[in-house]
Amino acid sequence: MPLSSWNRHGSTLTIVWGVTHDRDRAWRGLTDPSLVPRWLGEPLGWDLAVGGRVDVDHGSGAVSRSEVLRLEPPALLEMTWDFPDEPRSRVRVDLVHDDPARTCLTLEHVALRDDLVDDYRAGWMTHLSYFEAALDGTSLPRQQFWNLHASFAALSRPH
């Protein structure tokens, strides 16, 4: 499993994921609007520049609306995270070379409401599984998303 670790510190969730591709490929998967539907959702607006808008339809009318805060290709993307019926939070993704064929992806979701942290933990782990498959050139079936989410929720639940 590419999950290296996850941690919750207050309202911040951090997930470290080992990607079996070089950093340029991981960056492309993160930022190329033609690959985003395979792991996150359908881009409705994609202005990937500081101050730009990134809007993604996650299905069933759930659209995240974000503003790009920092962009340092191919290493860092940080943006607001405005999801329906939730307070604004921030998502930051750092990509660091482990070796030529491996990248360490660190996703930090900051300022989450307390009751959302566990669901986002399973959600991001599920999305990152889809992300890894997209980088491999395959797509995981969309209809399996919630089954995989439930598995991650059960596996990562604090005991």
Side-chain angles (χ1 to χ4, degrees):
M1 174 183 283
L3 174 65
S4 297
S5 66
W6 67 268
N7 182 31
R8 176 185 183 172
H9 189 276
S11 65
T12 299
L13 169 66
T14 304
I15 297 172
V16 180
W17 198 268
V19 178
T20 56
H21 295 276
D22 66 34
R23 185 167 67 172
D24 289 335
R25 176 79 175 141
W27 181 258
R28 184 171 169 256
L30 186 67
T31 60
D32 184 334
S34 70
L35 293 175
V36 170
R38 296 165 91 185
W39 70 273
L40 186 62
E42 195 63 43
L44 301 176
W46 198 261
D47 180 11
L48 206 60
V50 173
R53 300 284 311 169
V54 174
D55 299 334
V56 177
D57 183 348
H58 300 273
S60 302
V63 176
S64 62
R65 303 191 185 283
S66 302
E67 177 185 345
V68 178
L69 302 172
R70 289 181 65 192
L71 183 69
E72 298 173 15
L76 176 106
L77 172 62
E78 183 175 1
M79 62 182 131
T80 62
W81 185 261
D82 293 309
F83 207 77
D85 302 320
E86 296 176 8
R88 176 181 272 192
S89 56
R90 286 188 333 274
V91 174
R92 175 184 169 129
V93 178
D94 289 284
L95 300 173
V96 176
H97 270 300
D98 276 357
D99 64 46
R102 188 171 165 82
T103 302
C104 178
L105 180 153
T106 302
L107 184 145
E108 186 177 65
H109 199 149
V110 178
L112 281 167
R113 197 171 68 207
D114 191 57
D115 63 321
L116 296 173
V117 175
D118 290 339
D119 195 44
Y120 267 108
R121 180 181 61 236
W124 282 122
M125 289 178 185
T126 306
H127 282 295
L128 290 171
S129 296
Y130 278 73
F131 177 74
E132 184 80 16
L135 293 180
D136 289 342
T138 61
S139 295
L140 295 177
R142 288 183 188 211
Q143 65 271 23
Q144 291 301 314
F145 182 89
W146 291 110
N147 290 335
L148 185 55
H149 183 280
S151 295
F152 277 122
L155 289 171
S156 62
R157 188 172 294 121
H159 298 283

